[in-house]
Amino acid sequence: MPELPDLEIIREGLSPRLTGQTIADVEVVRPLVVRDLTGRGFAQALTGQTFAGVQRRGKVLLFPLESTLTLAINCKLAGRLQYAAPADRRRAKTHVVWHLSDDHELRYSDQRTMGQVYLTADVDAIPGWTEMGPEPFDLTLDGFRERLRPHRGEIKGVLTRGRAVAGIGNAYAGEICFAARIHPYRKRTSLSDDEIERLYEAMKSVLRDAVATLRERVGTDTHREVRDFLAVHGQGGHPCPACGTTISEIKIQGRLTNFCRACQPGGLMQF
Ligand SMILES: [Zn+2]
């Protein structure tokens, strides 16, 4: 699932390529992901529009157009965006293709068909938009404490849901817990002030470092997801980079959690 660092790199990669370009034509190959909130018809309303930039809010990429409209894409589990020449082979499950005035294409592919491609005149109309928490880099430590307070559950889940803080998903929530040396299944209510502060610092450093790494590793290949540099996520069975203990792996309802039981002791359950 693309999270804040992945989406920042996609935004950086697409922004100079799309800004100022006009959409010559829109090809909706598979309409399941398309959500037209304008009532004007997705392809019809987009044709002739010019991209004004590329932005990100939480896990949503925003493509404001030089009109009142915004294209908003939530990649969910497997959505990918690619800027490509028409001759480049299309990825499987390409759902939408925007033909651009520079004779290139913006493509949205999604192996799971779970993402959403909105066209709207009002981003508040996007489901979940108004409940989204602040951006991690906009939060002060006090603000972070305040945002966590209403959420009482397991800390990794709290970080993931987007209401306390936006843009963090399963992989980076796991990384943040590891960097803070906090067990991912600890209840938020069990965390001390000091532990919350560690979590806050870890959130900023993990996300900042990941953006820097991905900028090098992904660059303009915006359809690629690179995760092999993460410390614990996806590293079950390998040695912990801090202490050498074998990294634990738990999968609940398809959701992978990795942690080091030596570096991150405790938790409600013992493994
Ligand atoms: Zn360890």
Side-chain angles (χ1 to χ4, degrees):
M1 172 198 276
E3 304 181 27
L4 182 151
D6 311 293
L7 295 169
E8 272 304 304
I9 298 309
I10 296 173
R11 186 190 65 72
E12 286 182 12
L14 292 181
S15 183
R17 287 166 180 77
L18 296 185
T19 306
Q21 286 221 54
T22 299
I23 300 168
D25 190 20
V26 184
E27 196 182 332
V28 179
V29 184
R30 300 160 188 267
L32 266 177
V33 298
V34 168
R35 308 279 188 278
D36 171 32
L37 306 183
T38 68
R40 292 164 50 187
F42 183 80
Q44 290 89 323
L46 273 171
T47 303
Q49 299 272 347
T50 300
F51 285 104
V54 185
Q55 302 163 356
R56 180 196 58 78
R57 171 80 176 98
K59 294 175 195 157
V60 182
L61 282 168
L62 295 169
F63 302 82
L65 301 157
E66 287 182 358
S67 67
T68 54
L69 299 180
T70 298
L71 184 66
I73 300 181
N74 188 339
C75 294
K76 290 289 176 90
L77 278 183
R80 296 284 180 273
L81 281 155
Q82 185 180 22
Y83 172 84
D88 295 343
R89 205 165 69 88
R90 282 188 187 180
R91 291 163 58 82
K93 299 271 180 75
T94 292
H95 294 254
V96 185
V97 179
W98 292 266
H99 298 272
L100 307 170
S101 47
D102 72 347
D103 288 332
H104 279 65
E105 299 175 353
L106 174 67
R107 299 172 182 170
Y108 177 79
S109 64
D110 189 338
Q111 301 305 310
R112 304 282 287 270
T113 317
M114 287 172 75
Q116 291 135 1
V117 180
Y118 293 97
L119 182 64
T120 183
D122 175 12
V123 289
D124 284 352
I126 297 170
W129 185 266
T130 53
E131 290 92 57
M132 211 189 299
E135 291 294 318
F137 293 119
D138 292 346
L139 273 171
T140 61
L141 173 58
D142 283 345
F144 184 63
R145 291 189 199 284
E146 202 61 41
R147 295 301 307 183
L148 290 189
R149 201 159 288 140
H151 306 279
R152 308 180 64 80
E154 291 162 354
I155 189 59
K156 178 169 170 255
V158 170
L159 291 175
T160 306
R161 259 170 247 128
R163 291 192 171 217
V165 52
I168 300 169
N170 191 44
Y172 285 99
E175 292 294 293
I176 291 165
C177 290
F178 173 72
R181 300 295 188 260
I182 290 169
H183 193 290
Y185 294 150
R186 290 269 307 277
K187 297 276 191 199
R188 195 283 298 163
T189 44
S190 80
L191 298 179
S192 67
D193 282 355
D194 179 53
E195 285 173 322
I196 299 277
E197 184 168 353
R198 265 158 47 201
L199 207 58
Y200 171 75
E201 296 300 337
M203 171 179 79
K204 299 236 241 190
S205 64
V206 163
L207 297 176
R208 196 188 312 114
D209 292 352
V211 169
T213 301
L214 293 174
R215 193 173 285 137
E216 300 246 310
R217 297 276 308 278
V218 174
T220 55
D221 292 340
T222 54
H223 60 288
R224 290 176 58 222
E225 186 172 272
V226 175
R227 289 278 161 85
D228 56 4
F229 66 96
L230 298 181
V232 290
H233 182 79
Q235 305 289 341
H238 293 283
C240 165
C243 76
T245 301
T246 301
I247 293 168
S248 301
E249 176 158 311
I250 294 163
K251 206 168 192 180
I252 298 173
Q253 291 172 342
R255 182 167 273 227
L256 191 64
T257 294
N258 295 108
F259 60 96
C260 172
R261 61 182 190 278
C263 292
Q264 301 165 268
L268 196 58
M269 295 178 275
Q270 293 295 324
F271 299 96

